[in-house]
Amino acid sequence: QMDPGEALILLSDGVVEAAGVGLTPEVVAAEVGRAGDGGATQILEALQATADRALGGPQSDDHTFVVLKRLAV
C-alpha cells in the first residue's frame, strides 16, 4: 500500500551499474527528495538528468526508470 505522496522508483541494472561513476542510491534518493511535491514526470526527468551528468558520455547499457507516485485524492 502506498500513502498519498509516496513514490516507488524501479531502476534497471544499467542504472545500478552507473553507481560506479556517481549514481549512487544516496544520489538517487536526494534527487527524488528535491523533486518534492512534483509528480512522477518531474521525478523521472530529475533522475534522467542525474544519470546523464554522472555518466558524462555515451551510455554502455540501458537506463530504465519506472516511477510511480500516489497522488492525494
Side-chain angles (χ1 to χ4, degrees):
Q1 177 179 337
M2 291 176 62
D3 291 326
E6 289 185 331
L8 172 67
I9 314 295
L10 305 174
L11 312 169
S12 69
D13 67 331
V15 176
V16 174
E17 291 166 3
V21 293
L23 192 59
T24 63
E26 294 80 14
V27 170
V28 171
E31 286 300 323
V32 171
R34 274 194 272 286
D37 292 332
T41 301
Q42 185 175 353
I43 293 170
L44 175 61
E45 289 171 353
L47 291 173
Q48 288 175 323
T50 300
D52 291 344
R53 283 192 308 273
L55 294 169
Q59 60 190 49
S60 60
D61 199 352
D62 68 295
H63 297 138
T64 304
F65 298 93
V66 177
V67 180
L68 302 172
K69 184 160 184 184
R70 178 155 179 213
L71 303 175
V73 180

